[in-house]
Amino acid sequence: MDNQTFYITTPIYYPNDKLHIGHAYSTTVADTLARYKRLRGYDVRYLTGTDEHGQKLQQRAEAAGKAPQAFVDDIVVWIQALWQRLDISYDDFIRTTEDRHKTVVQAIFAKLLEQGDIYLGEYEGWYCTPCESFWTERQLKDGRCSDCGGPVGLVREPAYFFRVSRYADRLIEYYETHPDFIVPASRKHEMLNNFLLPGLEDLCVSRTTFSWGIPVPGHPEHVIYVWLDALTNYITALGYMSGDPDLEARFAHYWPADVHVMAKEIVRFHAIYWPIILMALDLPLPKQIVGHGWLLMKDGKMSKSKGNVIDPNLLVDRYGSDALRYFLLREIPFGQDGVFTLEALMERLNFDLANDLGNLVHRSLAMLERFCGGVIPSSAAITQLESDYATLIGETVSQVEDALDRFEFGPALSAIWTVVRRANRYIDETAPWALHKAGDRDRLNTVLYTVFEAIRSVSVLLQPFMPNTSPSIWSQMGLSPGESTSWESAKHFGMLPSGLRTKKGEPIFPRLDVAAELAALDELTDSKGAQPAHVTRETEPGKSPDAASVQSGSADAPSTNVSVAQEPATPQLEQIDIADFGRVDLRAARVVAAERIPKADKLLKLQLDVGGELRQVVSGIAQHYTPQELLGRQVILVANLKPVTLRGVESHGMILAASDGDRLTLATLADGIAPGMKVK
Ligand code: ME8
């Protein structure tokens, strides 16, 4: 039987400027999933590319004194080199200026025109050039672009329109019958409430006031609207309507896409217009539209004009691609906004990579050299300690698989790090140096075999996330890739062959001098002082950072209705005054009942006594506290948080906790504080 297919895409990025770590994040996320599915035996196709037309690009090229094609060509070379450096394993890179794309877009346009989905009319309305978005008067927010908050221009020109309203009911029904179509689900409600239920207006799909685009067939004074042009890349790249039987067969093989990855600001185009285009073409819809949050900087959105954009190359140069990939995947909670700081990067590199993983590999190899002549021994009899360890690894594999199925990259890595940290503790507990001294050869062999077996399992599980680290561990262990490095092998403790001759090299992740690194990075980036680099496009779209979702997990982050400090102690958000803080109603509360929520392994449903009032709060602490442990605890409640529904359970408020991602501790009050008392 043929392997199951898995077709995954990133947005095709605008080559109007060099890309930044926000783009690197989406591309790394998609790459991790593509690599993971390949390891699981899927027939994977991973597509990325560039969206090269449109008014914004034409303006940028003019400003640079270049022809648009020459302008984008240079940037595309830069982008492809970046993806190579970040080990992005794409199978195809589509450029919308390629003939294979342009001719099919024209054929699609002609087909939609012929079947009456597209008609000629006159557009009068608002246009946001940075977002390449049309807006009606009603959709503007305070007279500005609803997406980026920037200024909009009035446009009046003859234009073709797409009767999208024809398909709205079918799309609403599709949302209802496919609850996993949009991830996270909160974005589905946004689509329904803000766009679909109020009624879709026909979409303008051509422009006449500039020329940098694909001409409408037979009417070259019109160019096809850049989003219609761009969205279709997902099918033109496969070979849809190409007329080439091999390519058409490839299209039939991979379509529909399994996952379209993007950030939240373009979910609207993918969850509304793209499905409608596909319905009009009578094609199946993609299985999932996944919209993650934004990487922000301490001072908000990244922007060239603020001079706070970080070039991913800079970080790859200094720390390597795996370190950057690890940081992005580990640190940014998928679906939520996350603040990028160089301090947090340094902490992850020093603690997780150098101290935990790097040290485990290095110290184990050093002991093996000293005690066993650098040759991996056979295990002798095992004790409960080793069999518990084997169980932990088996459970970890399932946790990683489940987490990746839910796009939870941080928790997947955190599960792997439980094994890494346990291995370091196991070494401390079993003290191989003492076994060596006591001449307890059998026990020493068992312990060292177990340590290397744990390292092998970790290296297998790390492959999708850190594609260079695993081979470099194998090479130091003398292990050749094969059966004992396959994904399945991680589930079977004992697959490490004994007798391997190891080759200890340099530590795989050196420890960094944080102060020296920060000073060097500050020199190398445009960032100054407390405002290091953040990521956005060259224009200043004014998309305000969603501070609430960074810290507390708002509706965007339904699974963590608990305040989690993602960052080191340094302040990372804009300063507020006392009046801002006064708007938060913090209250002492006592937990009077707690229970798990079925099928939500992170959530607990709590009943809180808030001084005579009983409050129900859903909290993402189930992996850190059992319901019993919480009974009677004094906690701090954010009492005036708007109610939300999480997994069908109403949550009215949020309790505070401190966390570094792995550990989480509730913020509590001394006994004797009366419930309901104000905390300030
Ligand atoms: O929108 N944080 O292209 P684009 C996280 N051409 N991700 C970010 C980010 C940030 N700060 N900044 C950018 C376009 N991204 C269209 C897409 S698709 C048919 C057409 C990532 O160059 C994220 O994936 O503006 C976001 O959706 C995308 O880059 C926007 O890239």
Side-chain angles (χ1 to χ4, degrees):
M1 208 184 81
D2 283 348
N3 290 350
Q4 207 180 324
T5 56
F6 183 76
Y7 180 33
I8 183 163
T9 67
T10 68
I12 48 170
Y13 306 112
Y14 292 124
N16 56 351
D17 209 330
K18 291 175 178 168
L19 304 188
H20 52 59
I21 51 172
H23 303 99
Y25 177 64
S26 305
T27 315
T28 302
V29 157
D31 186 65
T32 303
L33 290 170
R35 287 177 181 274
Y36 168 63
K37 291 289 181 179
R38 285 190 200 108
L39 286 166
R40 300 299 308 271
Y42 284 73
D43 172 358
V44 172
R45 192 151 185 95
Y46 173 16
L47 174 71
T48 188
T50 38
D51 182 1
E52 305 190 1
H53 293 123
Q55 191 169 6
K56 178 168 52 177
L57 262 153
Q58 181 169 329
Q59 286 173 355
R60 282 303 305 262
E62 278 163 8
K66 286 190 177 175
Q69 190 67 58
F71 177 77
V72 295
D73 283 351
D74 287 347
I75 297 179
V76 170
V77 169
W78 184 95
I79 292 174
Q80 289 176 333
L82 172 65
W83 296 154
Q84 202 172 358
R85 301 201 66 207
L86 264 177
D87 297 289
I88 303 301
S89 61
Y90 60 76
D91 297 292
D92 193 3
F93 188 103
I94 179 109
R95 301 184 55 181
T96 55
T97 50
E98 288 175 272
D99 281 343
R100 62 167 172 158
H101 176 76
K102 290 194 293 192
T103 51
V104 179
V105 172
Q106 288 183 320
I108 290 173
F109 195 97
K111 179 174 160 63
L112 298 178
L113 193 64
E114 194 188 304
Q115 60 192 44
D117 281 306
I118 288 181
Y119 63 92
L120 186 59
E122 169 147 315
Y123 179 75
E124 182 170 355
W126 301 95
Y127 196 75
C128 171
T129 307
C131 293
E132 302 281 14
S133 257
F134 293 103
W135 296 108
T136 61
E137 187 78 40
R138 180 168 59 79
Q139 290 170 326
L140 295 179
K141 248 191 219 151
D142 303 327
R144 301 173 80 86
C145 171
S146 270
D147 272 351
C148 73
V152 286
L154 190 60
V155 172
R156 177 193 281 198
E157 57 191 50
Y160 287 91
F161 287 85
F162 191 152
R163 290 184 218 276
V164 287
S165 48
R166 271 187 180 178
Y167 297 93
D169 288 346
R170 261 176 74 187
L171 186 57
I172 293 171
E173 192 193 326
Y174 191 83
Y175 281 11
E176 276 162 14
T177 50
H178 297 79
D180 296 332
F181 180 52
I182 305 176
V183 180
S186 53
R187 305 211 200 288
K188 173 173 91 178
H189 306 305
E190 209 177 298
M191 296 300 118
L192 281 169
N193 297 335
N194 297 351
F195 302 103
L196 284 167
L197 296 176
L200 282 183
E201 320 237 351
D202 287 355
L203 176 71
C204 179
V205 286
S206 74
R207 302 289 314 272
T208 51
T209 43
F210 65 94
S211 57
W212 181 236
I214 303 177
V216 168
H219 298 277
E221 68 283 10
H222 290 261
V223 291
I224 295 173
Y225 176 42
V226 66
W227 272 101
L228 178 63
D229 166 355
L231 288 163
T232 52
N233 90 89
Y234 302 130
I235 53 178
T236 61
L238 285 179
Y240 175 68
M241 273 180 127
S242 62
D244 176 328
D246 290 343
L247 299 185
E248 303 252 358
R250 183 174 69 185
F251 171 72
H253 183 64
Y254 287 108
W255 190 257
D258 291 84
V259 182
H260 289 314
V261 174
M262 68 207 68
K264 58 188 175 182
E265 82 288 354
I266 58 171
V267 166
R268 179 169 71 95
F269 295 97
H270 287 80
I272 297 180
Y273 298 123
W274 179 225
I276 288 179
I277 295 169
L278 290 166
M279 283 178 189
L281 293 172
D282 206 14
L283 290 174
L285 306 195
K287 293 180 200 154
Q288 281 190 315
I289 309 287
V290 178
H292 59 71
W294 285 331
L295 261 73
L296 304 173
M297 299 307 282
K298 281 179 185 171
D299 53 343
K301 194 77 178 151
M302 296 177 245
S303 99
K304 276 262 161 174
S305 57
K306 277 190 199 165
N308 66 355
V309 172
I310 287 197
D311 176 355
N313 281 297
L314 172 70
L315 301 177
V316 175
D317 284 347
R318 291 188 84 79
Y319 312 113
S321 125
D322 277 16
L324 177 57
R325 289 173 65 114
Y326 174 79
F327 176 75
L328 294 173
L329 295 166
R330 178 75 185 77
E331 187 77 4
I332 314 296
F334 197 78
Q336 298 178 48
D337 293 346
V339 179
F340 180 93
T341 67
L342 295 170
E343 292 86 346
L345 174 70
M346 295 298 113
E347 284 204 15
R348 287 281 174 205
L349 302 197
N350 264 351
F351 289 113
D352 300 5
L353 298 185
N355 274 12
D356 292 340
L357 179 63
N359 188 35
L360 170 66
V361 174
H362 202 66
R363 75 194 286 215
S364 306
L365 287 163
M367 284 189 298
L368 196 77
E369 272 185 3
R370 278 180 53 213
F371 307 145
C372 299
V375 176
I376 293 184
S378 305
S379 173
I382 62 163
T383 67
Q384 190 62 38
L385 210 52
E386 285 75 40
S387 61
D388 286 350
Y389 205 165
T391 311
L392 171 72
I393 292 178
E395 287 168 358
T396 303
V397 179
S398 311
Q399 282 168 8
V400 172
E401 291 176 354
D402 292 348
L404 285 178
D405 286 343
R406 293 195 299 264
F407 307 102
E408 292 179 353
F409 303 94
L413 284 166
S414 158
I416 300 173
W417 252 254
T418 315
V419 177
V420 172
R421 292 189 180 128
R422 183 76 196 87
N424 275 321
R425 271 210 316 279
Y426 174 82
I427 296 175
D428 298 340
E429 283 161 16
T430 52
W433 47 92
L435 297 171
H436 175 70
K437 203 165 168 198
D440 190 348
R441 194 79 227 163
D442 279 356
R443 186 71 192 136
L444 179 65
N445 286 351
T446 302
V447 165
L448 287 179
Y449 182 86
T450 304
V451 167
F452 279 96
E453 181 55 343
I455 295 175
R456 181 190 69 83
S457 312
V458 165
S459 69
V460 167
L461 296 178
L462 280 181
Q463 293 175 85
F465 308 89
M466 303 171 76
N468 298 302
T469 299
S470 306
S472 90
I473 293 176
W474 299 334
S475 135
Q476 297 206 23
M477 279 173 74
L479 182 65
S480 313
E483 216 186 325
S484 50
T485 58
S486 71
W487 187 266
E488 284 303 305
S489 76
K491 296 176 185 161
H492 305 290
F493 199 84
M495 281 195 63
L496 176 68
S498 46
L500 293 178
R501 182 160 291 283
T502 60
K503 288 171 276 200
K504 179 163 75 71
E506 290 299 307
I508 50 176
F509 292 104
R511 245 195 102 75
L512 304 167
D513 174 340
V514 175
E517 281 304 314
L518 289 175
L521 285 167
D522 201 38
E523 272 301 290
L524 291 166
T525 61
D526 295 340
S527 62
K528 293 283 168 268
Q531 303 200 336
H534 164 211
V535 204
T536 202
R537 308 328 311 273
E538 87 296 350
T539 44
E540 173 63 77
K543 287 177 185 166
S544 62
D546 180 356
S549 73
V550 174
Q551 281 210 310
S552 67
S554 64
D556 272 354
S559 62
T560 55
N561 198 23
V562 57
S563 174
V564 173
Q566 303 285 347
E567 293 301 309
T570 48
Q572 82 271 31
L573 297 173
E574 60 178 356
Q575 293 192 338
I576 59 170
D577 58 34
I578 191 79
D580 293 323
F581 180 70
R583 295 180 56 228
V584 184
D585 187 9
L586 296 177
R587 299 277 165 174
R590 182 182 295 119
V591 182
V592 292
E595 61 182 282
R596 293 191 181 278
I597 297 180
K599 297 203 191 115
D601 53 5
K602 290 193 181 146
L603 301 184
L604 289 182
K605 182 166 87 178
L606 308 177
Q607 305 296 341
L608 305 177
D609 172 4
V610 196
E613 188 201 345
L614 204 58
R615 268 299 178 89
Q616 176 167 295
V617 168
V618 175
S619 187
I621 55 174
Q623 287 173 335
H624 306 276
Y625 290 92
T626 63
Q628 290 72 20
E629 275 177 281
L630 292 170
L631 291 181
R633 283 247 189 168
Q634 295 270 21
V635 292
I636 302 174
L637 170 74
V638 183
N640 61 338
L641 201 65
K642 282 189 188 144
V644 289
T645 302
L646 300 171
R647 301 285 174 112
V649 182
E650 166 142 10
S651 177
H652 193 176
M654 175 177 85
I655 57 171
L656 301 185
S659 169
D660 65 358
D662 291 321
R663 289 162 306 166
L664 179 144
T665 306
L666 282 177
T668 54
L669 292 166
D671 287 335
I673 303 283
M677 197 183 271
K678 196 158 173 51
V679 179
K680 46 188 185 169

